[in-house]
């Protein structure tokens, strides 16, 4: 597995900032999803007591990790049927694809089907974001963030893409759960403070 992970020099050199390649809809991102679905998940299922069915398998991430979590459900519905996307960085090509054709995958529809077969269930989708709202603005500096302040402006700028993706989902009647965290920054501390919400959505009572 390690040998397969370092085939591309961009992913082998830890000094190269490459997350936008690994976690997006690129050939390298495709390879990452293949690794998750075809190598890592079978290893987990083999060594732990899991239910390997897609409807019990979820992907979760933040920022570009939120994007690739959504891509996991869209590209590999045979493995992942739930995604939890915190501050996802949705981009125009993906939003367009979902609006035009990708919605069928998210609904669990096969080619020419009008209703999902018993073997496929619709995706369960959680989206959230922080950023500026009418009620709260992101502070320029938050001393409690310590050494990882994140980006005070990024969640605000990501909201347009999230709104567009929600519009594409609504267009085809695909249910999703969206949570806004007013004034939250784009960093691990902010995501950690609300991590209970996606987990409640999937495993308990959403709020």
């Amino acid at each position: 597995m390690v040998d397969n992970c370092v085939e591309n020099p961009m992913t082998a050199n830890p000094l190269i900032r490459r997350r936008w390649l690994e976690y997006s809809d690129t050939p390298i991102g495709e390879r990452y999803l293949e690794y998750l679905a075809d190598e890592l998940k079978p290893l987990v299922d083999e060594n732990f007591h899991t239910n390997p069915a897609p409807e019990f398998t979820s992907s979760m991430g933040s920022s570009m990790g939120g994007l690739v979590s959504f891509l996991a459900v869209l590209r590999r519905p045979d493995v992942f049927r739930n995604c939890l996307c915190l501050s996802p960085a949705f981009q125009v090509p993906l939003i367009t694809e979902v609006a035009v054709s990708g919605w069928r995958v998210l609904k669990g529809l096969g080619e020419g089907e009008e209703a999902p077969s018993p073997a496929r269930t619709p995706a369960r989708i959680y989206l959230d974001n922080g950023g500026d709202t009418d009620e709260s603005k992101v502070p320029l500096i938050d001393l409690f963030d310590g050494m990882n302040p994140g980006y005070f402006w990024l969640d605000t700028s990501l909201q347009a893409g999230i709104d567009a993706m929600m519009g594409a989902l609504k267009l085809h009647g695909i249910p999703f759960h969206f949570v806004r965290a007013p004034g939250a920054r784009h960093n691990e501390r902010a995501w950690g403070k609300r991590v209970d919400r996606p987990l409640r959505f999937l495993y308990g009572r959403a709020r």
Side-chain angles (χ1 to χ4, degrees):
M1 289 171 63
V2 174
D3 289 343
N4 290 337
C5 290
V6 297
E7 289 173 350
N8 192 298
M10 287 294 290
T11 61
N13 188 341
L15 299 179
I16 298 176
R17 292 183 61 86
R18 61 194 186 274
R19 190 172 300 172
W20 63 276
L21 286 172
E22 291 178 334
Y23 292 176
S24 60
D25 204 9
T26 65
I28 295 176
E30 252 179 56
R31 177 67 190 100
Y32 177 70
L33 286 179
E34 287 175 6
Y35 165 72
L36 290 181
D38 300 329
E39 298 179 46
L40 181 60
K41 184 174 185 297
L43 186 67
V44 171
D45 291 336
E46 182 181 339
N47 288 276
F48 296 91
H49 185 66
T50 66
N51 187 330
E55 60 266 32
F56 296 103
T57 305
S58 310
S59 55
M60 178 177 180
S62 56
S63 192
M64 292 298 291
L67 170 62
V68 79
S69 296
F70 188 91
L71 284 170
V73 168
L74 186 65
R75 299 281 181 257
R76 295 301 303 267
D78 58 312
V79 177
F80 300 97
R81 294 306 293 160
N82 314 301
C83 60
L84 310 172
C85 312
L86 289 72
S87 305
F90 292 134
Q91 298 153 353
V92 172
L94 179 62
I95 296 165
T96 303
E97 179 185 344
V98 169
V100 173
S101 60
W103 62 272
R104 296 186 60 83
V105 176
L106 300 176
K107 275 196 167 183
L109 298 176
E111 189 67 32
E113 290 181 343
E114 295 301 323
S117 72
R120 289 189 300 272
T121 58
R124 298 186 66 195
I125 301 170
Y126 170 95
L127 308 172
D128 79 14
N129 196 34
D132 291 342
T133 66
D134 290 340
E135 57 190 282
S136 184
K137 305 298 181 184
V138 181
L140 182 63
I141 296 173
D142 188 335
L143 296 179
F144 289 105
D145 285 331
M147 298 298 292
N148 184 21
Y151 304 97
F152 75 91
W153 48 267
L154 191 47
D155 269 20
T156 303
S157 67
L158 291 176
Q159 188 60 45
I162 296 170
D163 287 340
M165 180 60 80
M166 291 193 294
L169 297 173
K170 288 178 182 177
L171 179 65
H172 297 289
I174 298 171
F176 61 88
H177 185 72
F178 175 67
V179 171
R180 193 74 193 266
R185 297 172 75 82
H186 191 89
N187 64 9
E188 282 74 10
R189 177 169 171 262
W191 297 319
K193 287 171 68 174
R194 63 180 190 263
V195 72
D196 64 302
R197 296 184 179 186
L199 296 177
R200 285 173 182 268
F201 163 75
L202 201 57
Y203 301 113
R205 179 178 298 176
R207 62 179 176 86

